[in-house]
Amino acid sequence: AQSVTQLDSQVPVFEEAPVELRCNYSSSVSVYLFWYVQYPNQGLQLLLKYLSGSTLVKGINGFEAEFNKSQTSFHLRKPSVHISDTAEYFCAVIRMNRDDKIIFGKGTRLHILP
Amino acid sequence: DGGITQSPKYLFRKEGQNVTLSCEQNLNHDAMYWYRQDPGQGLRLIYYSQIVNDFQKGDIAEGYSVSREKKESFPLTVTSAQKNPTAFYLCASSQQFPGEGYTFGSGTRLTVV
């Protein structure tokens, strides 16, 4: 079975500073990887996804993530955060070519400090 | 525009009452899902359906029921057997190809009063 670990439950960062949200996964087979964002009292919105090809994936709102197969990681980064990035971020994984469900991490709450 | 509509956005329930949360999608997705979200616990899967007239229990199905009579609709009933129903409920849908991920509705916040 696959699993997803988000290493930080909360990350405080000053506005305009860079941020990295960490995600590690475990799976015995190849997977697709996702990052979702959830603003307060809203549903989840897809930020970016890794299917294949280039290991650096760019998403919406200036976010990017890097797939590292050897370290089984898919960390999310942004070079300069804005107050509007305040949200909860979920890493997720699903096995390729399987009739399966997405497994979500427990989320990382990003706090932007003025 | 295509998407998922959840209604109502806020719902209040008296103890002992059943309530039904609506989820409708016009994305022509085959699969639909219900999640429960509590602070600090991430998303927990309640039920999912991959085809009309068929559905499976997720990790926390006790006290909940669903139906899938139409491809577009997947209502969730929170029964009186659910001991702690106050939570944020999210509906999602997906295509057959797993690499597309899920599309989520905007959620329903249920409060027991």
Side-chain angles (χ1 to χ4, degrees), chain A:
Chain A
Q2 68 270 40
S3 66
V4 178
T5 302
Q6 292 185 242
L7 297 161
D8 305 295
S9 60
Q10 297 190 61
V11 172
V13 62
F14 286 103
E15 196 169 11
E16 299 183 6
V19 68
E20 178 179 83
L21 305 183
R22 297 180 292 168
C23 173
N24 285 90
Y25 70 94
S26 170
S27 178
S28 57
V29 299
S30 296
V31 296
Y32 298 127
L33 294 152
F34 309 86
W35 274 100
Y36 286 86
V37 59
Q38 185 181 31
Y39 300 104
N41 292 312
Q42 294 186 28
L44 277 67
Q45 178 183 358
L46 183 66
L47 262 182
L48 49 78
K49 60 184 177 183
Y50 174 77
L51 304 183
S52 65
S54 173
T55 57
L56 184 63
V57 181
K58 294 189 183 297
I60 61 172
N61 301 340
F63 284 92
E64 62 183 30
E66 185 152 21
F67 170 59
N68 187 318
K69 188 173 182 179
S70 62
Q71 297 188 1
T72 61
S73 68
F74 191 52
H75 301 332
L76 182 70
R77 302 185 183 103
K78 186 170 183 178
S80 175
V81 296
H82 188 266
I83 194 75
S84 60
D85 294 321
T86 299
E88 189 154 21
Y89 293 80
F90 292 91
C91 182
V93 62
I94 191 168
R95 293 184 292 181
M96 290 184 188
N97 303 321
R98 301 293 178 98
D99 185 13
D100 213 347
K101 299 177 295 300
I102 286 181
I103 303 299
F104 290 90
K106 290 193 178 296
T108 298
R109 192 168 295 276
L110 180 61
H111 296 280
I112 308 299
L113 307 172

